[in-house]
Amino acid sequence: MSNDIRIRKGLDIHLEGEADKTTQHQPLSKLYAIKPSDFHRVVPKLILREGNEVKAGEALFFSKSDERIMFPSPVSGTIKEIVRGERRKVLEIRIEPSAEQTFKDFGEKKVNEMEGEAIKAHLLSSGAWPFIKQRPYDVIANPDIQPKAIFVSACKTNPLAPDYDYVLKGKEKQLQEALTALSKLTSGKVHVSVFKDSSLSPFRNLKNIEVHNVSGPHPAGNVSTQIAHISPINKGEVVWVVNPQDLVVIGELFLTGKLNITRTVALTGANINKPHYVTALAGAQIDGVIDGGVKDPANTRIISGDVLTGVKVSESDFLGFYADQITAIPEGNDYDLFGWAKPISNKISLTRALTFSWLNPKKKYNLNTNTNGEHRAFVQTGMYEEVFPLDIYPMQLLKACLYKDLDELENLGAYEVAPEDFALTEFVCVSKQPHQQIIRDGLDLMIQELG
């Protein structure tokens, strides 16, 4: 069987502000924060309180539904504040880092000599388990269910995505250690997807994995697209998903005994002065990561993540626990007079009615956040199917989520999708419907009713 995955349906959004392949090592931020909202459907139970000292890697809270799943501090220091919202819901745990970082020692482990259950127990006790997510539902993996396979997508295709060939260069030892550990947690294979034309990928020479060559437009890099081609999910089946940079964290944990949640973050977008890469710890304050590198801050949208799936933040906010990209683009606070009635060359459109973007498919655009329209009822245009490569009816699945028909959700393939898979359909939607939130609500309903 061929290991090539070629995607034809989709859309590459070429934006200005791709990160140069240079990395700046940032000093510690003044403040860090872990947000329970980064871990979908996790209700936190606090272990430590304000004023407590904490080591890097030490657990701050655990999941109320499963006390084995711990959530660690990225730094050592003092818990400065626990920010609460309505009904005393925990919104953030803010940590003031110490000048000299100390790590909780979990002990070096020899993965080759460990059984699967021992590896699982170590990942749980060290706080590394949240790096493993599961499909269906796109939530933190259930440790009690063995997956039929594990997937790693090392070929991001979202706008201005980090180049993993560059980011992971020289980290083959940590990657191999993590992949060997994961291979003992499944009865199937560990599947890693890389770009077909990438000869420098660090995954090509690693063991205990099956490498797949991916080509085509976005969302070819989405793990759901790859799962659908390699090992589709049927009812009752589970697969696990791990991000490439989280493999480095897991591998270093086994090699050194330290949970070091350091990532190489891509600073991207037209409103970044000099797009490049920086090293930063999860939960770092945004202003410490970008270090004043934003043009025209008053008219800039800063996003933790990419423009399709990221979260709007301010410089006083914090980097998401899973984020390895920060994007800055112009705020869409201006409007075109009669914009619908004149030819446009500086915007992207799937149709040829209003823009000339189809004449130059490789052109890079400086797009802002303006939605160029207002929320309205769904309009049947056929555009969703042009950018949606899964063998699923996107319009029908979205509507099933809205009217909460569980039978239809199952039959239409909701087990196979995550909100990010509908980012492109949301982008091209003439009705300006929030597709990703609709899918998220539908998946949450399935978790609640079907388990």
Side-chain angles (χ1 to χ4, degrees):
M1 185 179 74
S2 173
N3 284 349
D4 286 358
I5 300 173
R6 185 178 180 184
I7 304 302
R8 298 183 183 277
K9 292 183 178 181
L11 176 66
D12 282 330
I13 302 173
H14 301 287
L15 300 181
E16 296 178 3
E18 183 178 355
D20 293 332
K21 291 182 174 58
T22 59
T23 302
Q24 180 179 342
H25 298 278
Q26 297 288 70
L28 285 173
S29 296
K30 295 180 181 178
L31 198 63
Y32 288 80
I34 293 298
K35 297 177 288 186
S37 59
D38 285 343
F39 314 104
H40 190 67
R41 292 190 65 83
V42 167
V43 178
K45 295 290 289 184
L46 294 176
I47 298 174
L48 301 177
R49 299 290 185 264
E50 289 185 11
N52 288 163
E53 299 292 325
V54 63
K55 292 182 178 180
E58 187 175 352
L60 297 171
F61 60 91
F62 59 83
S63 172
K64 184 177 181 180
S65 62
D66 192 336
E67 296 183 3
R68 297 171 297 173
I69 302 178
M70 304 286 187
F71 298 86
S73 170
V75 292
S76 64
T78 304
I79 298 179
K80 185 177 181 180
E81 183 182 7
I82 296 176
V83 181
R84 295 181 181 269
E86 296 180 359
R87 302 178 67 179
R88 293 186 57 78
K89 179 181 179 180
V90 178
L91 302 180
E92 294 177 351
I93 302 173
R94 297 183 177 181
I95 306 161
E96 188 173 5
S98 55
E100 185 175 343
Q101 290 292 292
T102 57
F103 288 81
K104 183 174 181 179
D105 187 6
F106 295 101
E108 298 178 19
K109 303 291 182 180
K110 296 181 179 179
V111 170
N112 290 325
E113 300 176 4
M114 298 175 70
E115 299 293 332
E117 286 301 316
I119 290 172
K120 183 187 297 183
H122 188 59
L123 292 172
L124 287 165
S125 63
S126 63
W129 192 262
F131 295 123
I132 304 174
K133 290 189 173 184
Q134 74 168 44
R135 301 292 173 86
Y137 307 138
D138 190 34
V139 293
I140 293 174
N142 184 344
D144 296 326
I145 300 178
Q146 187 181 61
K148 71 168 185 174
I150 298 176
F151 289 83
V152 179
S153 176
C155 52
K156 272 196 169 184
T157 53
N158 51 285
L160 303 175
D163 183 344
Y164 283 136
D165 291 356
Y166 170 75
V167 168
L168 301 176
K169 184 178 180 180
K171 298 177 181 177
E172 289 83 358
K173 188 175 182 180
Q174 295 95 320
L175 292 171
Q176 183 63 77
E177 198 76 3
L179 292 168
T180 301
L182 292 176
S183 68
K184 297 188 176 185
L185 299 180
T186 176
S187 57
K189 296 179 179 179
V190 178
H191 301 277
V192 179
S193 300
V194 301
F195 285 118
K196 184 176 182 178
D197 58 358
S198 171
S199 60
L200 300 177
S201 174
F203 291 99
R204 291 204 178 275
N205 298 317
L206 300 185
K207 302 176 182 178
N208 302 312
I209 62 174
E210 184 169 313
V211 176
H212 302 266
N213 300 308
V214 174
S215 60
H218 184 62
N222 281 7
V223 72
S224 296
T225 307
Q226 298 156 18
I227 292 171
H229 281 76
I230 299 168
S231 182
I233 303 172
N234 298 311
K235 184 177 180 179
E237 295 179 335
V238 170
V239 301
W240 288 353
V241 177
V242 186
N243 292 327
Q245 290 210 63
D246 295 338
L247 289 175
V248 177
V249 178
I250 294 172
E252 188 171 343
L253 169 68
F254 284 103
L255 291 170
T256 67
K258 299 177 180 179
L259 189 66
N260 181 12
I261 317 177
T262 300
R263 292 198 177 87
T264 302
V265 179
L267 302 183
T268 63
N271 276 27
I272 294 288
N273 285 319
K274 295 181 179 179
H276 62 289
Y277 292 87
V278 298
T279 57
L281 287 161
Q285 199 160 30
I286 297 295
D287 65 351
V289 179
I290 61 180
D291 195 22
V294 173
K295 305 175 187 175
D296 191 15
N299 296 302
T300 294
R301 173 79 60 90
I302 302 176
I303 301 165
S304 178
D306 67 88
V307 293
L308 292 177
T309 63
V311 178
K312 177 184 176 182
V313 295
S314 67
E315 292 193 28
S316 61
D317 285 327
F318 302 90
L319 185 68
F321 189 81
Y322 298 102
D324 58 4
Q325 180 180 357
I326 293 176
T327 310
I329 60 175
E331 190 66 69
N333 48 18
D334 59 324
Y335 298 90
D336 293 328
L337 183 64
F338 301 118
W340 53 270
K342 62 183 180 181
I344 301 170
S345 61
N346 60 348
K347 294 179 182 177
I348 299 174
S349 175
L350 274 186
T351 69
R352 301 185 179 186
L354 296 178
T355 80
F356 293 112
S357 61
W358 56 276
L359 292 173
N360 189 0
K362 297 296 183 181
K363 178 182 177 180
K364 294 185 178 181
Y365 294 85
N366 181 8
L367 301 181
N368 60 31
T369 62
N370 198 324
T371 58
N372 299 298
E374 61 185 3
H375 184 274
R376 59 180 73 87
F378 275 112
V379 178
Q380 192 81 28
T381 63
M383 295 173 66
Y384 300 164
E385 288 76 10
E386 292 185 36
V387 298
F388 194 78
L390 300 180
D391 189 18
I392 288 173
Y393 295 110
M395 174 72 83
Q396 287 82 346
L397 181 56
L398 287 164
K399 289 185 176 180
C401 289
L402 288 173
Y403 54 72
K404 300 180 180 180
D405 189 317
L406 291 172
D407 289 335
E408 281 200 23
L409 285 172
E410 285 189 311
N411 294 332
L412 289 169
Y415 289 121
E416 300 184 46
V417 301
E420 66 175 12
D421 301 317
F422 285 77
L424 272 181
T425 62
E426 183 174 313
F427 177 76
V428 303
C429 181
V430 298
S431 304
K432 313 305 174 186
Q433 292 278 354
H435 293 202
Q436 295 179 79
Q437 187 57 53
I438 291 171
I439 293 297
R440 181 72 273 172
D441 292 343
L443 294 177
D444 287 347
L445 175 68
M446 295 180 72
I447 296 174
Q448 180 181 339
E449 299 294 334
L450 303 176

